[in-house]
Amino acid sequence: MNHLDALPPWAAVLVGVLVLLGSGFAFTGSLGLLRLKDFYKRVHAPTLGTTLGAFFMLAGSILCFSVVHGRPIFYEILIGVFLTLTTPITLMMLVRAALYRNRVEEAQEPPRRTTLE
């Protein structure tokens, strides 16, 4: 027997919507990674899209297991906290490394700010 058999229909619909929203945002972030041409533009799409997608997925998971077990389950919030802490740090480290590489290889000035294409 599956634990999802005990999930009421209203919760199943809400969990399904949250999971679909999460996968949509993660897919959008992945498309941004493929579509944008410059590294400095590309670095933002996956961090923003996949983080928001992961939060919707976590909300769906928290709702599903809270309803199935009959009590609030919040330990999955730790995943969201770790994502919130590590994603901007990773973004800053990648951009700093790219800026350093550009300064050493090409010119001494950072790239000019351009508009999105």
Side-chain angles (χ1 to χ4, degrees):
M1 182 161 156
N2 194 352
H3 69 278
L4 295 178
D5 293 336
L7 198 62
W10 64 269
V13 169
L14 193 56
V15 167
V17 167
L18 287 171
V19 168
L20 284 175
L21 273 172
S23 61
F25 277 109
F27 181 68
T28 303
S30 301
L31 280 181
L33 181 64
L34 292 174
R35 184 110 169 111
L36 297 174
K37 294 176 181 25
D38 186 28
F39 172 77
Y40 299 102
K41 294 176 189 172
R42 288 171 116 187
V43 77
H44 291 287
T47 55
L48 296 175
T50 55
T51 302
L52 193 57
F55 281 126
F56 277 118
M57 293 280 210
L58 284 171
S61 178
I62 289 170
L63 176 69
C64 175
F65 289 110
S66 293
V67 169
V68 167
H69 292 295
R71 60 183 171 86
I73 303 216
F74 292 117
Y75 56 85
E76 293 177 4
I77 290 178
L78 287 175
I79 298 170
V81 168
F82 291 137
L83 276 175
T84 303
L85 293 175
T86 58
T87 300
I89 294 169
T90 306
L91 169 73
M92 288 188 315
M93 290 179 69
L94 284 172
V95 170
R96 283 183 184 177
L99 281 172
Y100 177 75
R101 184 192 65 202
N102 285 346
R103 286 183 188 147
V104 169
E105 289 179 357
E106 296 174 5
Q108 295 297 324
E109 61 187 54
R112 284 184 275 150
R113 183 179 227 162
T114 59
T115 59
L116 291 177
E117 298 171 357

